[in-house]
Amino acid sequence: MNKISDIASLEKDFIDNIFDLTSNIRNKWPKIEQVGVGKTICLLFWEPSTRTKLSFEHAAKKLGFDVLDFSPECSSIKKGESFEDTIQTLLAMKVDGFVIRHPEDQISKKIISMLPEDVFYINAGDGNHAHPTQAMLDVYTMKEKFDDLSTMKLTILGDVNHSRVIPSQIELLKKYSCASINFVGPESLISKKFSPSFSEISKDSLADRDILFILRVQKERFKDDDGLDEAGFIKNFQVNNEFLKNSGFKGFLMHPGPMNIDAEITREAANSENSLVLEQVENGLYLRTALLSLIL
Ligand code: CP
């Protein structure tokens, strides 16, 4: 397996191996075996990124890869070169593997069809289809707290419809038999396929949940007929002290980032002692190091 487009196409054994190696790397960091020496990886990000791009870059350099940072804005894409010709050009430069983020849903399929067998590929987010490495690092972080995910109770809050993280996360949690996932937020942000869902937070309604996974409103992916009462969203669903007190939630707070402070979450909640936000980021570095060393 050297092409990662989504979670559904991965065997659970492969993910177990990634998780084991992630723990191993976490324990050894920064003394990492340089298994990437002599190989070249290209990072192509058509959309902004802090966590995903820089953790892949950091991981690749730590493994000894040479790293090419392709920026569409400064490339011959601006002179009209096509996506396909860009990939062919980079292949001619003897790139051994690609990490790609792109706004087009499911572009991974097209990319994989363009790549030779021995060139690896990792989807770093395509449209709102999939973000497999974010799902892996999030579920790895959950497993650190609740080894048996079959009994963990997860609530996902906010803009589920425009998230590429959540479809990948649900797919991965299914592989670990997590049975209790529900959704909370305005009806306009949670379509009927995400069930059960709740558009109200009543007293102590989250008292038995283990994890509250909070999502940013992803306005950049709104279509023309998508709408949101932002003031209403903040009043009813912002994760703040009052929300936590009223809902009775006492578990761990997670967020894939980037956070919009004072929109879906306050600074106080994000920095609270039960927040795993920075553990997620740190685990992302170890997990992407593990993944690169398994698929090169
Ligand atoms: N969660 C995530 O993908 O963050 P970045 O956009 O910063 O990579």
Side-chain angles (χ1 to χ4, degrees):
M1 169 60 68
N2 74 345
K3 296 193 174 57
I4 311 290
S5 61
D6 56 27
I7 294 291
S9 54
L10 301 177
E11 299 287 336
K12 182 169 173 292
D13 282 354
F14 179 73
I15 295 166
D16 283 339
N17 278 345
I18 295 170
F19 285 177
D20 287 346
L21 190 54
T22 300
S23 299
N24 199 314
I25 285 168
R26 184 188 172 102
N27 293 336
K28 284 196 303 203
W29 192 272
K31 294 191 176 116
I32 305 301
E33 202 185 335
Q34 295 223 306
V35 293
V37 169
K39 292 193 179 263
T40 301
I41 186 171
C42 185
L43 310 176
L44 295 94
F45 278 63
W46 257 261
E47 287 181 354
S49 168
T50 298
R51 279 149 285 271
T52 313
K53 185 175 176 194
L54 293 182
S55 60
F56 267 119
E57 182 174 350
H58 192 15
K61 287 178 174 168
K62 197 57 87 181
L63 289 165
F65 281 94
D66 292 316
V67 180
L68 302 183
D69 180 357
F70 176 91
S71 165
E73 284 304 305
C74 303
S75 74
S76 288
I77 293 273
K78 296 306 278 181
K79 300 181 218 161
E81 190 161 42
S82 69
F83 180 79
E84 289 79 0
D85 287 340
T86 302
I87 298 290
Q88 294 306 333
T89 300
L90 290 162
L91 284 170
M93 292 182 199
K94 301 293 168 205
V95 166
D96 297 291
F98 292 90
V99 177
I100 302 182
R101 172 172 288 187
H102 197 280
E104 188 179 318
D105 273 4
Q106 310 217 28
I107 198 169
S108 288
K109 280 186 195 154
K110 192 158 87 184
I111 295 169
I112 288 172
S113 72
M114 289 190 279
L115 298 182
E117 257 178 38
D118 61 340
V119 171
F120 69 81
Y121 165 69
I122 301 170
N123 176 6
D126 56 349
N128 65 354
H129 167 240
H131 194 348
T133 62
Q134 181 70 44
M136 288 182 210
L137 75 89
D138 290 335
V139 172
Y140 176 85
T141 305
M142 292 174 193
K143 267 179 76 53
E144 281 192 316
K145 305 295 174 192
F146 303 94
D147 189 42
D148 180 5
L149 295 181
S150 70
T151 57
M152 184 189 75
K153 296 185 179 73
L154 168 68
T155 294
I156 298 170
L157 178 147
D159 186 3
V160 182
N161 284 350
H162 300 99
S163 172
R164 56 185 165 211
V165 173
I166 295 307
S168 295
Q169 186 183 111
I170 292 170
E171 202 63 54
L172 185 49
L173 285 170
K174 262 198 285 182
K175 291 184 193 287
Y176 287 93
S177 307
C178 178
S180 183
I181 305 176
N182 63 23
F183 305 87
V184 66
E187 280 175 17
S188 63
L189 297 182
I190 305 178
S191 69
K192 296 221 179 325
K193 70 178 175 182
F194 299 107
S195 170
S197 69
F198 306 91
S199 53
E200 261 175 47
I201 296 286
S202 52
K203 184 84 186 132
D204 290 334
S205 56
L206 300 180
D208 71 332
R209 310 307 290 173
D210 296 310
I211 291 186
L212 185 60
F213 195 93
I214 303 153
L215 296 168
R216 171 177 72 89
V217 176
Q218 290 161 90
K219 285 191 213 141
E220 72 275 20
R221 294 203 202 109
F222 273 42
K223 307 247 165 38
D224 290 345
D225 53 348
D226 287 338
L228 178 68
D229 165 11
E230 287 182 50
F233 175 79
I234 289 171
K235 179 166 173 279
N236 296 316
F237 301 106
Q238 182 187 76
V239 178
N240 54 34
N241 284 344
E242 193 190 330
F243 175 99
L244 292 169
K245 196 167 164 212
N246 179 48
S247 67
F249 181 75
K250 295 195 173 53
F252 293 107
L253 299 175
M254 295 182 72
H255 193 306
M259 295 183 287
N260 284 163
I261 294 295
D262 291 335
E264 74 276 7
I265 189 168
T266 57
R267 172 67 62 204
E268 208 173 353
N271 289 357
S272 64
E273 63 178 21
N274 58 346
S275 166
L276 302 182
V277 172
L278 292 178
E279 278 184 49
Q280 290 170 260
V281 176
E282 185 176 343
N283 285 338
L285 174 63
Y286 307 137
L287 185 131
R288 288 174 176 131
T289 309
L291 179 59
L292 285 175
S293 55
L294 280 178
I295 70 165
L296 51 80

